[in-house]
Structures are given as C-alpha cells and as structure tokens.
Amino acid sequence: MNKAFVREGTDDDEVEPPEPDGPPPRNYVTPQGHERMKAELLRLLDVERPEVVRVVSWAASNGDRSENGDYLYGKKRLREIDRRIRFLTKRLERAEVVDPARQHGNDQVFFGATVTYLQSDGVERTVTIVGVDEVEPAKGRISWISPVARALLRAREGDTVALLTPAGRIELEILSVSYPR
C-alpha cells in the first residue's frame, strides 16, 4: 500500500490542527478569565504534570511496558496535559486583557457588558459579553464574536437591533446595559 494512505505510530488524538495563516485573531479576555487561565496553567505545570511523570516513571521501572496500564495511561495523560499547556500558553500570549469596570456607568454595549434585551417574540434574556475562552452559555456568558454579541455591540440602552438567524430576522430591544464596578 502507498505510504500516503498509511498512518503509523500516531494516535488520532495527537494530531494538532494546523496554524491559521495570517496574524492571529484577537483574544480579548476579562481580568477574571485571564486569572482562571493562568491558574489552570500553573496547576497543570506545578501539580498534575509532575504527579503523572512520577507515576509514569514508577510504572516504567516495573518492567514490561507493552501491557502496563499505568504506563500506557500515564503516557496518554501526559500528552493530553502537554497539549493543554501548549494551548493555554499560546492563548495567554495572545490575550488582550480588557477590564469592563472601566466602562462602569456607560449605557453603550462594549466587551464585558451585561445586557438585558427583549426579543421580538417577547422573551427577555440577560447575557454578559466575554472572551472566547470564558464562554458559559448556561450562565448567559456569550463570546464577543457570537452573532448575538455582534448585533448588540455599540448599541445603547433603548436601541433596537436586528439579529439575522436561520429562522429569520429577530428584533432585539436593549432594556439595560451594566458593567461591574
């Protein structure tokens, strides 16, 4: 068989996506999100990785590695930790920390705003516009690049903006805009 169609010696989960061409996209993040990412990176470097390395070296000293579950699982977990460390390091290098508290008292929607809006179908929602790495839809935290956030950005309290969805156009009336102190 032609070598072009054979993948030897790699796991599917080891393949990293190619780097996009051009300058990296902006990675806006709140101070709290930046601290959470830094804390996760430090925990991986200072706690989890050394513990897994200790287990892998212990398992390797037991002899036959081909059927050693601790060794095989440990090596896989080590690859996962290293991959996450690389990801967090890159994201933190590109991070632009934006403190939404500087906008306190402003009625215009910018990054970090908590916005309450009324949809044309009568549903009222409250969302907070955050960075891509901080998204929690269940808690109303949406990315600044999401369609809803893009529709809301730069609008003011009392404005009505249009959101284009696959189901059609939805009008969003902005009821309130707030920023943390």
Side-chain angles (χ1 to χ4, degrees):
M1 180 179 268
N2 187 336
K3 283 187 176 183
F5 297 107
V6 178
R7 291 186 60 189
E8 293 182 12
T10 63
D11 293 336
D12 287 342
D13 60 345
E14 283 188 60
V15 178
E16 291 186 28
E19 288 291 320
D21 293 334
R26 290 190 175 136
N27 183 26
Y28 294 123
V29 65
T30 63
Q32 298 82 9
H34 190 261
E35 287 303 314
R36 275 194 302 272
M37 286 195 304
K38 278 187 1 187
E40 180 184 356
L41 179 62
L42 291 175
R43 181 179 47 77
L44 289 171
L45 288 170
D46 297 340
V47 178
E48 285 191 41
R49 191 173 195 288
E51 177 63 22
V52 173
V53 167
R54 186 186 61 73
V55 169
V56 168
S57 63
W58 168 81
S61 69
N62 289 337
D64 185 15
R65 296 176 185 171
S66 64
E67 295 182 14
N68 186 332
D70 288 330
Y71 178 80
L72 296 174
Y73 174 75
K75 291 294 281 186
K76 182 177 181 183
R77 180 68 184 129
L78 198 56
R79 286 191 303 269
E80 291 168 355
I81 290 171
D82 288 343
R83 185 178 308 112
R84 184 69 180 164
I85 288 171
R86 282 191 307 273
F87 173 79
L88 287 171
T89 302
K90 287 179 185 177
R91 296 300 289 177
L92 286 168
E93 285 173 359
R94 295 180 189 157
E96 292 184 41
V97 179
V98 178
D99 188 2
R102 292 187 311 173
Q103 298 291 336
H104 182 71
N106 195 344
D107 70 342
Q108 193 170 9
V109 180
F110 293 110
F111 181 85
T114 298
V115 182
T116 301
Y117 61 88
L118 182 65
Q119 293 181 189
S120 53
D121 60 2
V123 176
E124 186 176 308
R125 296 191 191 273
T126 300
V127 296
T128 302
I129 300 171
V130 295
V132 175
D133 298 314
E134 305 172 87
V135 173
E136 294 180 73
K139 294 183 178 180
R141 298 171 60 86
I142 62 171
S143 167
W144 68 278
I145 60 174
S146 70
V148 172
R150 286 181 179 237
L152 294 172
L153 284 172
R154 303 220 184 265
R156 296 182 180 276
E157 273 184 31
D159 287 354
T160 300
V161 296
L163 173 64
L164 300 176
T165 68
R169 181 183 166 117
I170 297 175
E171 299 290 324
L172 307 176
E173 180 186 348
I174 300 172
L175 302 176
S176 69
V177 177
S178 65
Y179 292 91
R181 289 189 182 266

